[in-house]
Amino acid sequence: MHLPSKEDARLCAGVVREVARAKGIAEPFSIGRLTARVARLFNRGMRDRDSLLSEAMAVADMPVAYEEQGGALHALRNINPGTIDSSMEPENERGHQQQ
């Protein structure tokens, strides 16, 4: 595995920082996704700061596929641990008795 130089890492971090500020991105999950996208662009050969920045701005506006967001993990974040889903209860205990 070839690690980037300090200058390359600073270039990517600067681009991520600038795009996040311009787009109002503050969530760690979204910043991580943006960082991964900038790294992919860099690894594909975009070494010029201006072209990397413009492409990262365009990529930041693109919608993300549900699977790329972490699909099931994203759904688990929205579960309230204090609630009980009626589909998890046995059928004979769902508020009505079978006769």
Side-chain angles (χ1 to χ4, degrees):
M1 173 191 275
H2 180 264
L3 295 175
S5 68
K6 284 185 180 181
E7 294 81 22
D8 293 341
R10 286 183 182 134
L11 168 70
C12 291
V15 167
V16 169
R17 189 177 311 116
E18 192 167 341
V19 171
R21 284 182 184 157
K23 301 291 182 181
I25 300 171
E27 299 174 351
F29 181 77
S30 299
I31 290 181
R33 187 172 59 217
L34 177 62
T35 301
R37 287 178 169 186
V38 169
R40 266 188 233 119
L41 292 170
F42 183 84
N43 288 335
R44 289 182 184 156
M46 286 196 173
R47 302 287 198 259
D48 178 46
R49 183 184 183 288
D50 293 332
S51 62
L52 187 60
L53 181 61
S54 65
E55 192 65 30
M57 286 284 203
V59 168
D61 289 333
M62 289 183 188
V64 179
Y66 184 69
E67 290 80 22
E68 189 176 330
Q69 289 181 3
L73 292 176
H74 185 68
L76 287 175
R77 288 187 198 130
N78 296 328
I79 292 178
N80 185 350
T83 61
I84 297 174
D85 185 13
S86 64
S87 65
M88 300 297 287
E89 297 178 18
E91 284 192 32
N92 61 352
E93 295 179 9
R94 288 192 185 164
H96 64 278
Q97 296 293 327
Q98 293 179 346
Q99 296 177 354

